[in-house]
Amino acid sequence: MLPFLESDFGNPSSIHSHGVKAAAGVKLARKRVAALLNCSPQEVYFSPCGTYANNVSILGRARFIEANDGGRHLITTAIEHPSVIGPSQHLESKGWRVTYLPVDKEGIIDLEQLKSAIAGDTSIISVMWANNEIGSLQPVELIADLAHEHGIFFHTDAVQVPGKLPIDVGRNAVSALSLSGHKFYAPKGIGILYLRGGENVMPIAFGGGQEMGIMPGTESVPNIIAIGKAAELARIEVAKAEKKLRDMQRIILDKLAPIEGLRITGPADIDKRLPGHVSIAISGAEGEALVIKCDLKGVSVSSGSACHKGIIEPSSVLRALRLPDSLARGSLRISAGQFNTREDCEKAADLIAQVAAKSVKTGGQTL
Ligand code: PLP
């Protein structure tokens, strides 16, 4: 990134030499992202973040459908990120019919239910690849095939996936896919929209013609350079990273699963989970209090239950699992990263086990 902050700081739309150098950097980054996804560089659009890529995929596709008098039925799931749920609710408020597919107790949709939800007016399906809160992986390739068979645009929020599992849009029939740089070690504030050649979305913001007019606004060149490099590393290292993350995930799961009053949320089968991801719920505990307790001991985790106006509210994802509130309020998410070690994971799991055991004994009161 540094040369693009210090010397090659031109605007890639400018035709002078500073601009030309910046444009060459952006071109290389686009090629690197295309290699990660196994697509053509022309199918890669840089976006300000994962949220924007999700919004354009749904709202931009909906604009295109409306302009062409297509059917106004969207199918998504009850456990999507707010950047998919929000646009879906917006379309609903504009008269679209939206089906929010339920998930089973492990957070996975039922393909038969998806099949029965598809109707003559279904024009968009959006199902996330991996859930950020409970780590569940959806059968994205099968969903893509089904959507393809029915000629339906299929978008997947794959923000959690790069660097942890291989992504190959050359092998699956996904129409659009969103990524976010900071999930694979690029800086925050840069994302990717993959849009299959021949598929159309219309812009949802208006400005210059950058990124074929789909993402107008001057490109964040240093961040684009960074996501290109991160994509290259993610592609080269994914097999090694997946193995390491699985190993660390097993260490944490093995230590936490036997604790009384603690439930693993999301899939029990590790192969159905995002590598490195562990999510739990502790009966009677309060998620945010658990996070602070762990933080004081140097372990950064997060919770899906947040305090709103003095009341601990489980997230919509945890609600979709139909967990009792007393359990869902005590949710915790632990994500091992590529730069963690087995020792980090053992230490973190021991600490969480201690905090959890104390919390179960006292109904969360000592926190
Ligand atoms: N989708 C998922 C599954 C996420 O986990 C996130 C961020 O955490 C996003 C979308 C949004 O990405 P961004 O923060 O880049 O807007």
Side-chain angles (χ1 to χ4, degrees):
M1 293 172 76
L2 286 179
F4 293 89
L5 288 164
E6 287 168 357
S7 52
D8 303 336
F9 49 77
N11 182 333
S13 298
S14 302
I15 57 169
H16 52 58
S17 52
H18 286 304
V20 169
K21 278 192 183 159
V26 170
K27 189 173 173 194
L28 175 62
R30 205 183 301 279
K31 261 175 82 173
R32 287 172 166 167
V33 173
L36 170 73
L37 301 178
N38 188 24
C39 67
S40 139
Q42 282 79 38
E43 297 173 311
V44 172
Y45 300 83
F46 293 111
S47 93
C49 52
T51 294
Y52 200 95
N54 280 343
N55 270 258
V56 177
S57 300
I58 295 171
L59 298 179
R61 181 65 181 183
R63 273 198 72 210
F64 175 78
I65 288 162
E66 287 170 5
N68 290 283
D69 276 336
R72 298 183 183 192
H73 177 223
L74 160 73
I75 302 177
T76 186
T77 80
I79 60 163
E80 298 294 314
H81 187 267
S83 54
V84 167
I85 295 284
S88 305
Q89 289 172 341
H90 177 70
L91 290 181
E92 222 173 350
S93 75
K94 285 179 52 191
W96 279 60
R97 200 160 63 79
V98 179
T99 303
Y100 299 92
L101 293 173
V103 290
D104 65 14
K105 61 182 190 347
E106 300 201 316
I108 300 175
I109 63 159
D110 176 351
L111 276 179
E112 291 307 315
Q113 268 180 348
L114 171 59
K115 276 185 203 162
S116 358
I118 294 175
D121 61 347
T122 309
S123 53
I124 308 178
I125 299 177
S126 180
V127 176
M128 72 197 314
W129 193 321
N131 185 274
N132 44 316
E133 285 189 46
I134 52 171
S136 51
L137 297 171
Q138 304 298 336
V140 164
E141 290 196 3
L142 297 177
I143 301 170
D145 286 345
L146 190 63
H148 188 67
E149 261 169 48
H150 288 81
I152 301 169
F153 182 87
F154 173 51
H155 163 256
T156 184
D157 171 354
V159 160
Q160 291 288 332
V161 181
K164 297 184 185 122
L165 290 171
I167 303 179
D168 187 344
V169 294
R171 267 193 43 202
N172 63 40
V174 167
S175 317
L177 174 148
S178 312
L179 301 181
S180 171
H182 68 277
K183 304 298 181 189
F184 55 110
Y185 305 109
K188 287 148 202 74
I190 182 71
I192 302 285
L193 168 67
Y194 156 77
L195 183 64
R196 186 175 294 278
E199 296 285 10
N200 285 300
V201 300
M202 284 167 73
I204 56 167
F206 302 90
Q210 292 91 347
E211 299 302 286
M212 304 299 285
I214 293 176
M215 308 281 178
T218 302
E219 300 87 341
S220 174
V221 176
N223 279 347
I224 288 176
I225 302 300
I227 204 170
K229 189 67 193 172
E232 182 183 57
L233 294 174
R235 177 177 59 80
I236 295 169
E237 293 172 359
V238 67
K240 206 172 92 202
E242 184 184 346
K243 196 167 165 297
K244 178 175 177 185
L245 293 175
R246 287 267 180 243
D247 189 35
M248 293 193 293
Q249 185 175 31
R250 231 170 253 120
I251 291 174
I252 303 172
L253 277 171
D254 287 351
K255 284 203 186 252
L256 297 184
I259 295 171
E260 201 193 324
L262 182 151
R263 171 111 53 103
I264 303 294
T265 55
D269 176 354
I270 203 166
D271 292 329
K272 293 186 184 161
R273 293 192 78 98
L274 187 66
H277 188 288
V278 176
S279 51
I280 59 174
I282 300 167
S283 177
E286 293 182 354
E288 285 190 341
L290 295 170
V291 171
I292 293 165
K293 187 93 178 166
C294 290
D295 185 46
L296 290 172
K297 304 269 183 191
V299 173
S300 302
V301 289
S302 56
S303 174
S305 328
C307 188
H308 292 293
K309 297 183 184 149
I311 301 165
I312 303 282
E313 294 274 6
S315 68
S316 52
V317 176
L318 295 168
R319 286 205 190 283
L321 294 183
R322 294 175 294 280
L323 292 176
D325 270 9
S326 59
L327 195 60
R329 283 194 195 104
S331 81
L332 215 56
R333 169 176 23 144
I334 307 120
S335 313
Q338 255 193 61
F339 301 104
N340 285 125
T341 61
R342 291 172 63 100
E343 293 69 39
D344 287 339
C345 293
E346 274 163 14
K347 197 178 128 209
D350 285 340
L351 170 70
I352 295 163
Q354 248 178 42
V355 171
K358 212 170 184 180
S359 181
V360 169
K361 211 156 53 191
T362 61
Q365 294 309 306
T366 57
L367 301 169

